[in-house]
Amino acid sequence: QKEVEQNSGPLSVPEGAIASLNCTYSDRGSQSFFWYRQYSGKSPELIMSIYSNGDKEDGRFTAQLNKASQYVSLLIRDSQPSDSATYLCAVKNSWGKLQFGAGTQVVVTP
Amino acid sequence: DVKVTQSSRYLVKRTGEKVFLECVQDMDHENMFWYRQDPGLGLRLIYFSYDVKMKEKGDIPEGYSVSREKKERFSLILESASTNQTSMYLCASSEPSSGETQYFGPGTRLLVL
């Protein structure tokens, strides 16, 4: 079992719709959670971090964390073509190591 | 603005060659990391360093070594390159006091023939 799992996609989303990305993790002691965006041929860039249960909103992005169920999700509202990218979920486990998922590719169609 | 730079964007090397990949960060971060990224496998940690002259093995250190002689510079060395080391290599840095957010360099795409 991988420590951090994501659906690889591609997730096809019409422009203006909500994209919903999910991530599950195996280490129940994990405390810090991150979402990175990676455009094709580019390096990952941080878009959200979340540390406590519940929702955290930043512009069109909302991260949701449920530690009891061991999942973290990312919602992208009013999706734009510029949101087309691969989204990486990263989890800092109880050993202090940052583990990355393989990423979910999002394609926003006009 | 955090800046992490890597010495090359693209490299082509032959099997058996010694390869040096260099990473420099300008934010005085204590922590530096080397990852490789392959399709379907995501980012895998090769080595990391929490301080000058200190290094720790990551998940896939075999075939690699590192050097950190100065705080801002972290080098990845492929002692004898092999074709299965063809990959995208990403360097990152972070500061423990800022929540461990990692900032990535632009990456080096290495092709070993």
Side-chain angles (χ1 to χ4, degrees):
Chain A
Q1 182 191 5
K2 290 183 180 177
E3 293 202 36
V4 179
E5 298 217 40
Q6 299 180 251
N7 289 326
S8 60
L11 177 65
S12 185
V13 180
E15 186 173 355
I18 296 175
S20 178
L21 291 76
N22 294 316
C23 171
T24 58
Y25 59 94
S26 59
D27 184 346
R28 189 169 286 278
S30 300
Q31 294 295 324
S32 306
F33 307 86
F34 307 87
W35 282 100
Y36 284 82
R37 178 176 62 200
Q38 187 175 23
Y39 292 115
S40 180
K42 302 292 186 182
S43 58
E45 56 177 333
L46 182 73
I47 53 172
M48 291 284 287
S49 58
I50 186 166
Y51 304 99
S52 54
N53 280 330
D55 294 0
K56 180 181 178 182
E57 190 173 313
D58 184 358
R60 296 186 296 110
F61 297 98
T62 299
Q64 300 174 317
L65 176 61
N66 184 323
K67 289 184 180 179
S69 299
Q70 294 175 238
Y71 81 79
V72 56
S73 62
L74 180 71
L75 299 178
I76 308 173
R77 290 184 301 281
D78 187 25
S79 295
Q80 302 297 309
S82 60
D83 296 325
S84 296
T86 296
Y87 291 80
L88 305 175
C89 173
V91 176
K92 187 178 179 184
N93 65 19
S94 54
W95 294 94
K97 185 182 288 187
L98 193 65
Q99 300 284 335
F100 285 86
T104 298
Q105 184 186 5
V106 172
V107 179
V108 180
T109 55
Chain B
D1 210 18
V2 178
K3 193 159 186 185
V4 181
T5 57
Q6 294 183 228
S7 49
S8 305
R9 291 301 306 274
Y10 302 95
L11 270 181
V12 180
K13 297 291 181 181
R14 297 226 172 258
T15 302
E17 280 192 79
K18 192 169 186 176
V19 181
F20 293 88
L21 303 181
E22 194 164 74
C23 174
V24 178
Q25 52 93 4
D26 66 358
M27 288 305 295
D28 203 35
H29 283 173
E30 292 184 12
N31 304 335
M32 296 189 74
F33 308 83
W34 274 107
Y35 295 91
R36 62 178 285 177
Q37 187 175 31
D38 302 288
L41 297 178
L43 283 159
R44 292 182 290 168
L45 183 64
I46 304 172
Y47 267 97
F48 60 101
S49 169
Y50 285 150
D51 202 352
V52 175
K53 296 192 185 297
M54 295 191 68
K55 59 187 178 184
E56 298 283 343
K57 292 180 180 179
D59 298 319
I60 51 164
E62 296 79 17
Y64 304 93
S65 62
V66 291
S67 172
R68 193 167 181 199
E69 296 295 318
K70 294 184 178 182
K71 190 175 185 179
E72 68 271 17
R73 197 177 299 266
F74 193 34
S75 300
L76 179 69
I77 303 147
L78 288 65
E79 296 289 342
S80 177
S82 63
T83 55
N84 63 12
Q85 292 179 308
T86 291
S87 187
M88 169 71 93
Y89 289 88
L90 289 159
C91 174
S93 71
S94 74
E95 184 57 44
S97 60
S98 66
E100 293 275 7
T101 298
Q102 293 192 15
Y103 299 90
F104 285 86
T108 296
R109 191 167 291 280
L110 173 67
L111 173 62
V112 182
L113 299 174

